Amino acid sequence: MEQIESSSEIIKEKLRANFDGKIVRKDLTKKIKEGANVPVYVLEFLLGQYCSSDDPEIVENGVQTVKRILADNFVRPDEAQKILSKLRKKGSHTVIDMITVRLDIKKDCFFAEFSNLGLTNVPIADEYPEKFDRLLCGGIWCIVQLDYEMEGDANFGIVDSDGFELKSKQKKQKDISPISIRKLTPIQMPHIDIEELKTGRGAFTKEEWMDVMLRSIGMEPDSLNDREKWLLLTRMIPLVENNFNLCELGPRSTGKSHLYKEISPNSILVSGGQTTVANLFYNMGRKTVGLVGLWDCVAFDEVAGIRFKDKDGIQIMKDYMASGSFARGKEEKAASASMVFVGNINQSVDVLLKTSSLFDPFPPEMGTDTAFLDRMHCYLPGWEIPKFRPEHFTNDYGFISDYLAEFIRELRKEQYGDALDKYFRLGKNLNQRDTIAVRKMVGGYLKLMYPDGKFSKEELEEVLRISLEMRRRVKEQLKKLGGMEFYDVNFSYIDLEDMSEHYVSVPEQGGGKLIPEGVCNPGQIYTVSHGKSGMISVFRLESQMLPGNGKFERTGIGTDRGAKEASNTAFNFLKANGSRISGSISTTMKDYIINYQDLQGTGMTSTLALPTLIALCSIALGRPTLGSLVVLGEISISGTMIKVDELANALQVCLDSGAKRVLIPATSMVDFATVPPDLMSAFQLIPYQSAEDAVFKALGGGVSHGK
């Protein structure tokens, strides 16, 4: 405990020394936030001003001051008229509001606009927009002293920095607003000194800086392990990288949308339902750019509900996600906003991986469109982030949200993605899209963790490994959906020093193989073929033999006519040719039951005659098949072999399911040229020449042939 205590004390001292006035105790934010509906960044700025001390008395007084300021001066939109009346009565009043300034070229002066008060065309002295340039770029929250003067005065009541009153440059008396601005103080960072940040970063170790970054977004790093810290940091990449597309699906209450809604003033959360191309990209009628041009990051909450009213919505989104521009009307528009998709996964990850893809919660027009999903740079495994409890939120010092948001925004202008070329080269399995995605992620992590550009080879390697994993997760799912087009998922990087190649895997892919290792029970067979939906998937057959008079029962196939006919073909073939396989197989003194299971929910296959025949022989002889075996191919009633459709894709499914051996018809050997060599070499391929040969080889060659 002392260790923890002392490390947080060290960090606090370093923050005080390097970033005084830009830090805040996060527990104070929580206290007041619950009662005041002001943006976090406004609140924290005030707390940074009044509560920047360790003395409990000063902190308590500071909190009271902040509460009073908010109560007296914060403008609620529904009380705007009441405040204006108060201003008229008293002649002056101080308000907290969001101020935007524009230059009126005709009148040659600046005018301010108040967001909550609803005032427009309030004259403002030139010194303010010149000094605080963010007033002109989207506006900032300010404390403003307002004066109310009766008409007839020819001046604005504006006093310049030398104390002289400014006269109106407006000619007509009626144009003059009775309300004027006496004094304006920004309560957001009016401008940012990025060099100060880079210098300050040099005082911290990697671990300390990671803790500072996480505390700045309200998380307590001491309650998280190293992996969880990196995953939470990943959420910030869309804010620091231009045109970065991130997807995070996971359980509820893991804070997926919190960062984009509460912490950053530069991102917008599009909640739920329908959106339009005009709202998101470009309004042709008004000739105005949509959300992607106004914000640094557009996050979609609850992806399952995303709907475009326009048919071409998803197409334009695809174009934008790939290139950062989109065409509307006669011209092409560019924007730099990142896209974030967050949503809930309802089943466990194991179930999703077995039955469908990790993109399953997306609406079908997105979740099955490989071109759309290929544009995702990063898939963040939301199921690895803990469900947040009170102890996960920090009470310690972190950056004021506004300061954090501003320097992150400033870092968007810099490029760090080429840093890896000094030590590493990406492996040959990464195509152009993969390379872009990995470089963007590496750049994002480096900006967040090492904004001063100082990092060692080991630190860069750590960042590179996690970047490759986040992109590989996208690629693995694409392979499931798009088959052979995306087979090259074995991502690696090459160390330029000794030219060694290192592979990066995805943690969740390892577990839950459909085909178990080792030898199964007699009568248990696995086959891979096209299901009813057209997808290639895995099917399991389990059989039983009882004393009886030659009945054959099937369960698990329902009313599927094709499957029934295929299983009858197998039983009839066995009746006719059983003695050729083995003299000890009886089709008159025994009853057989076979249960068919569709393991991936794609609908039952009708390619069942050969697997059924092998299952019947296996249970009749009491002999299991070879370990980790998959049966491919089919036979007709006369025993003619039918070759495998889409051999490469079928073998890919075998590999993903955990197969080690594949029984394959000799007729399919002509298709071997279409299969990538590394996929071929992943199995022991066992060719068969006939149905009897297939049974013989599947059971390990030890069948005593009949006379």
Side-chain angles (χ1 to χ4, degrees):
M1 187 67 202
E2 277 181 27
Q3 168 76 46
I4 290 176
E5 204 56 49
S6 61
S7 77
S8 93
E9 283 298 318
I10 294 166
I11 294 175
K12 187 165 74 180
E13 289 311 313
K14 289 184 177 180
L15 282 171
R16 280 268 160 74
N18 295 282
F19 298 102
D20 198 33
K22 297 182 179 72
I23 55 171
V24 67
R25 253 179 55 196
K26 296 287 174 175
D27 60 327
L28 302 177
T29 311
K30 281 189 291 194
K31 267 185 200 164
I32 303 183
K33 177 69 184 143
E34 284 156 11
N37 197 9
V38 292
V40 169
Y41 39 92
V42 171
L43 186 57
E44 288 193 352
F45 189 92
L46 292 170
L47 289 169
Q49 299 286 311
Y50 293 100
C51 308
S52 186
S53 169
D54 283 335
D55 184 338
E57 198 173 325
I58 295 177
V59 168
E60 186 51 41
N61 290 338
V63 168
Q64 293 308 324
T65 309
V66 170
K67 282 184 173 174
R68 197 175 60 250
I69 290 173
L70 288 173
D72 295 348
N73 306 114
F74 181 72
V75 180
R76 286 176 40 184
D78 56 337
E79 292 183 351
Q81 291 302 316
K82 180 176 149 187
I83 284 173
L84 288 175
S85 142
K86 196 183 279 185
L87 169 64
R88 179 169 171 263
K89 192 174 173 185
K90 285 169 52 185
S92 69
H93 188 60
T94 305
V95 297
I96 298 176
D97 203 347
M98 170 93 156
I99 312 287
T100 320
V101 173
R102 63 176 179 86
L103 174 64
D104 189 321
I105 294 173
K106 284 184 184 167
K107 294 174 180 165
D108 186 28
C109 60
F110 289 98
F111 288 101
E113 187 175 320
F114 291 68
S115 169
N116 287 356
L117 258 184
L119 290 177
T120 55
N121 293 340
V122 177
I124 183 168
D126 295 8
E127 62 171 307
Y128 292 119
E130 283 163 11
K131 199 165 151 194
F132 312 128
D133 49 5
R134 281 184 61 197
L135 284 166
L136 299 161
C137 318
I140 50 176
W141 284 83
C142 306
I143 296 183
V144 190
Q145 287 182 15
L146 293 176
D147 284 345
Y148 192 96
E149 295 179 35
M150 302 316 289
E151 277 196 52
D153 291 351
N155 64 28
F156 287 154
I158 299 174
V159 180
D160 66 13
S161 46
D162 300 323
F164 295 112
E165 287 198 334
L166 293 181
K167 296 286 179 185
S168 165
K169 292 186 180 174
Q170 296 172 315
K171 302 293 182 281
K172 292 181 181 171
Q173 204 67 33
K174 66 178 175 53
D175 287 342
I176 297 175
S177 162
I179 296 173
S180 59
I181 295 171
R182 185 192 301 169
K183 190 175 174 210
L184 178 144
T185 315
I187 47 172
Q188 277 180 261
M189 296 286 155
H191 46 82
I192 199 92
D193 183 359
I194 200 77
E195 290 310 314
E196 179 193 36
L197 172 85
K198 291 180 178 179
T199 313
R201 165 67 181 91
F204 296 81
T205 64
K206 179 193 110 181
E207 286 76 18
E208 287 172 348
W209 187 255
M210 174 79 91
D211 289 1
V212 170
M213 291 301 278
L214 290 175
R215 283 189 183 127
S216 300
I217 59 170
M219 298 294 129
E220 178 47 66
D222 293 338
S223 62
L224 303 164
N225 61 34
D226 203 45
R227 169 96 174 151
E228 288 163 355
K229 288 181 187 180
W230 277 104
L231 292 177
L232 284 175
L233 197 72
T234 309
R235 288 180 176 168
M236 296 166 75
I237 297 180
L239 300 170
V240 78
E241 273 296 308
N242 293 321
N243 302 107
F244 184 78
N245 309 318
L246 174 138
C247 159
E248 180 184 355
L249 302 177
R252 290 162 180 80
S253 76
T254 53
K256 293 186 288 291
S257 53
H258 171 74
L259 175 69
Y260 309 110
K261 189 170 176 72
E262 290 290 341
I263 308 293
S264 173
N266 306 320
S267 67
I268 187 166
L269 188 71
V270 180
S271 309
Q274 287 200 342
T275 182
T276 60
V277 172
N279 178 36
L280 204 54
F281 295 105
Y282 191 74
N283 189 323
M284 301 269 288
R286 294 193 192 144
K287 299 237 181 322
T288 52
V289 161
L291 297 177
V292 294
L294 303 173
W295 298 89
D296 288 353
C297 171
V298 179
F300 293 91
D301 202 5
E302 304 300 343
V303 289
I306 300 176
R307 297 279 181 280
F308 273 101
K309 286 184 181 170
D310 325 62
K311 283 199 177 79
D312 57 349
I314 288 176
Q315 238 19 70
I316 294 176
M317 192 178 253
K318 279 197 291 202
D319 178 21
Y320 175 74
M321 284 166 72
S323 62
S325 61
F326 53 92
R328 291 292 282 157
K330 291 179 182 172
E331 54 192 322
E332 191 167 350
K333 299 278 178 198
S336 63
S338 296
M339 293 274 192
V340 175
F341 301 87
V342 296
N344 296 322
I345 286 182
N346 296 320
Q347 302 114 309
S348 77
V349 175
D350 286 351
V351 171
L352 269 185
L353 283 169
K354 283 181 185 174
T355 57
S356 60
S357 83
L358 290 176
F359 287 113
D360 193 52
F362 274 84
E365 59 270 23
M366 292 178 175
T368 55
D369 183 347
T370 50
F372 172 80
L373 299 174
D374 195 17
R375 289 162 164 77
M376 285 291 174
H377 296 130
C378 167
Y379 189 130
L380 182 60
W383 53 90
E384 287 190 45
I385 291 172
K387 287 196 171 224
F388 288 148
R389 294 187 303 278
E391 65 263 29
H392 286 114
F393 295 98
T394 189
N395 292 330
D396 222 320
Y397 280 86
F399 290 128
I400 293 170
S401 301
D402 191 52
Y403 181 66
L404 177 80
E406 281 315 302
F407 79 68
I408 282 181
R409 185 175 207 179
E410 201 63 26
L411 286 169
R412 286 172 82 91
K413 297 171 185 170
E414 301 189 17
Q415 289 302 319
Y416 287 29
D418 55 353
L420 62 94
D421 298 336
K422 189 174 171 187
Y423 302 110
F424 304 105
R425 191 173 80 234
L426 295 173
K428 63 179 187 305
N429 265 354
L430 283 90
N431 62 27
Q432 183 59 19
R433 276 215 173 117
D434 302 330
T435 307
I436 290 171
V438 168
R439 283 185 182 278
K440 274 186 181 273
M441 260 181 285
V442 167
Y445 282 124
L446 291 178
K447 285 180 198 177
L448 292 167
M449 284 300 295
Y450 312 102
D452 53 355
K454 293 175 184 159
F455 43 84
S456 66
K457 180 181 170 184
E458 286 70 37
E459 288 169 338
L460 179 62
E461 189 170 8
E462 179 180 32
V463 162
L464 178 57
R465 285 190 74 87
I466 193 163
S467 302
L468 282 163
E469 179 213 312
M470 295 293 165
R471 172 64 189 172
R472 180 168 174 177
R473 188 169 288 106
V474 175
K475 205 71 180 283
E476 287 279 2
Q477 303 315 307
L478 285 170
K479 185 178 77 175
K480 273 193 168 172
L481 295 163
M484 275 334 284
E485 189 186 347
F486 303 102
Y487 88 94
D488 44 356
V489 295
N490 291 319
F491 283 9
S492 62
Y493 61 93
I494 295 157
D495 190 330
L496 294 178
E497 204 171 315
D498 55 5
M499 296 312 281
S500 57
E501 191 164 8
H502 304 268
Y503 286 87
V504 175
S505 60
V506 187
E508 67 271 6
Q509 285 299 121
K513 295 287 189 199
L514 291 170
I515 298 166
E517 294 229 0
V519 176
C520 299
N521 297 329
Q524 190 169 329
I525 306 288
Y526 289 89
T527 180
V528 166
S529 56
H530 283 89
K532 209 168 187 112
S533 65
M535 278 179 75
I536 299 177
S537 51
V538 185
F539 302 89
R540 179 165 66 205
L541 286 68
E542 290 182 307
S543 45
Q544 281 295 318
M545 181 174 71
L546 306 163
N549 53 8
K551 281 199 197 105
F552 176 46
E553 280 186 40
R554 302 162 296 244
T555 58
I557 51 179
T559 56
D560 193 315
R561 190 170 154 210
K564 275 184 181 167
E565 284 176 2
S567 55
N568 284 336
T569 300
F571 194 61
N572 293 334
F573 183 87
L574 187 66
K575 278 186 206 168
N577 305 292
S579 57
R580 289 220 312 266
I581 296 170
S582 171
S584 54
I585 295 177
S586 166
T587 52
T588 53
M589 309 285 287
K590 302 284 184 196
D591 287 350
Y592 295 91
I593 303 168
I594 294 192
N595 173 247
Y596 297 90
Q597 294 166 23
D598 169 12
L599 294 182
Q600 292 178 292
T602 56
M604 191 44 72
T605 179
S606 54
T607 314
L608 286 173
L610 184 66
T612 304
L613 177 66
I614 297 173
L616 288 167
C617 294
S618 169
I619 194 75
L621 297 163
R623 291 183 58 88
T625 63
L626 297 165
S628 305
L629 177 80
V630 167
V631 175
L632 291 185
E634 183 62 322
I635 53 164
S636 67
I637 185 75
S638 61
T640 313
M641 287 189 296
I642 302 166
K643 70 176 200 172
V644 182
D645 288 337
E646 297 183 50
L647 180 62
N649 287 344
L651 285 173
Q652 185 65 60
V653 172
C654 293
L655 180 67
D656 294 345
S657 309
K660 301 283 189 309
R661 297 182 176 92
V662 177
L663 198 66
I664 192 164
T667 47
S668 283
M669 285 182 150
V670 293
D671 295 336
F672 279 2
T674 63
V675 183
D678 50 349
L679 186 54
M680 289 275 288
S681 59
F683 309 102
Q684 181 190 343
L685 294 174
I686 309 169
Y688 58 88
Q689 305 292 339
S690 64
E692 294 92 337
D693 189 33
V695 173
F696 187 70
K697 284 178 173 166
L699 302 183
V703 180
S704 57
H705 280 272
K707 286 121 188 120

